[in-house]
Amino acid sequence: TARADREQLIASITRIEYPGGDNTLLNSFFVQLERASSSAEPLRILHYGDSQIEGDRMTSFIRFKLQEKFGGSGIGMQPLVQLYGYQLSLKQKASEGWSRYTAFGKVDSTLGHNRYGALACFTRFTPYPDSLGLMDPGLSSGQAWITLEQSRRAYRISRNFQNCRLFYGNATDPVYFEVWADGELYDADFLEPSSGLREKSWGFEEAPVELSFRFKSACSPDFYGMSLDPDWGLSVDNIPMRGS
């Protein structure tokens, strides 16, 4: 395989073009970035794209350069189950039985609602009645697990986080959960029933290399995602929407 020509690549770099040549249009954006770097306030950037950013392509580099300059760490929001088991910045594994529902592509018309969350998708480990989801109802056991593991391919800044937050809703039944950090039980409790958006969070002095979640319930809630964020500074979310 031929190596890339560094000089040719440098010569192909094109500056951002502004309407009317007005390069002040992004000033307010950079003011917010500077505030995040000089205060204890968090700031979140959501990077939406199509399949070209799947697997954290592009976003991982943009995240690294922004966090390196303006502060922050972690990889932001993630779906509990990836479309593919591949991600540059994180290794994810999941049990069988998860269904993935999206607001793009082939939309499931049987849901009766459009609450997909910020990632434009949610996951469940028990199906909706008559759902067109990916799961075979025969696989449903009322329990499921996911495991998140640091990737050696991730930027060092991305591997560090202090806060893990789980977002869920449409929960008709309580959900028993266990959180395991590097093979040790870290927390066990119940997610409370709620028709609206709920959040469960955990704090870590040092980011675990491996983080596992086990769920058990007669009826799964809608899981909108999970975030791995810093105490302060920037979080940058990778949100691919295939075909959009």
Side-chain angles (χ1 to χ4, degrees):
T1 303
R3 294 177 62 87
D5 187 325
R6 182 174 182 273
E7 297 302 322
Q8 185 179 9
L9 290 174
I10 292 176
S12 68
I13 294 174
T14 303
R15 291 183 176 274
I16 295 175
E17 296 182 3
Y18 299 92
D22 183 3
N23 61 4
T24 67
L25 293 177
L26 290 179
N27 281 5
S28 59
F29 172 66
F30 285 103
V31 166
Q32 294 295 323
L33 293 178
E34 291 288 356
R35 287 177 180 172
S37 66
S38 60
S39 70
E41 292 296 322
L43 182 65
R44 171 158 247 105
I45 296 175
L46 288 75
H47 182 194
Y48 287 92
D50 60 10
S51 58
Q52 294 302 319
I53 70 169
E54 281 182 349
D56 214 22
R57 292 195 301 265
M58 298 191 215
T59 309
S60 59
F61 181 71
I62 295 170
R63 180 190 301 118
F64 167 68
K65 300 301 287 187
L66 289 173
Q67 290 177 337
E68 185 181 45
K69 183 174 181 62
F70 297 104
S73 60
I75 60 173
M77 287 189 65
Q78 306 291 316
L80 268 68
V81 178
Q82 295 282 353
L83 180 59
Y84 302 107
Y86 171 79
Q87 226 262 46
L88 285 172
S89 301
L90 185 71
K91 295 180 180 179
Q92 289 184 248
K93 297 179 181 179
S95 61
E96 291 185 336
W98 287 95
S99 294
R100 178 174 178 266
Y101 303 85
T102 66
F104 51 92
K106 186 177 180 181
V107 178
D108 189 334
S109 61
T110 68
L111 296 184
H113 69 77
N114 60 358
R115 300 187 300 274
Y116 290 90
L119 301 182
C121 69
F122 65 86
T123 51
R124 294 173 59 90
F125 59 83
T126 64
Y128 281 105
D130 302 319
S131 171
L132 298 178
L134 301 178
M135 190 186 83
D136 178 352
L139 295 175
S140 176
S141 62
Q143 54 187 340
W145 56 264
I146 63 167
T147 296
L148 313 178
E149 183 181 352
Q150 292 185 12
S151 170
R152 292 183 178 181
R153 302 184 66 182
Y155 292 101
R156 176 185 52 81
I157 298 176
S158 299
R159 301 178 195 174
N160 182 35
F161 63 90
Q162 291 79 46
N163 298 300
C164 175
R165 296 190 293 166
L166 176 69
F167 303 95
Y168 72 97
N170 194 25
T172 58
D173 293 15
V175 180
Y176 175 74
F177 71 83
E178 293 179 355
V179 181
W180 293 75
D182 292 333
E184 296 186 2
L185 183 62
Y186 187 79
D187 189 23
D189 203 346
F190 285 88
L191 301 177
E192 298 179 359
S194 173
S195 59
L197 175 65
R198 296 295 296 269
E199 173 188 328
K200 184 70 177 180
S201 61
W202 301 270
F204 300 93
E205 293 184 4
E206 183 176 346
V209 174
E210 183 179 276
L211 198 54
S212 296
F213 297 82
R214 302 174 186 176
F215 305 102
K216 187 174 183 179
S217 178
C219 186
S220 170
D222 297 344
F223 289 103
Y224 303 115
M226 177 178 291
S227 68
L228 304 176
D229 293 326
D231 284 330
W232 67 275
L234 289 177
S235 294
V236 182
D237 307 324
N238 170 245
I239 310 175
M241 301 171 66
R242 173 167 285 226
S244 299

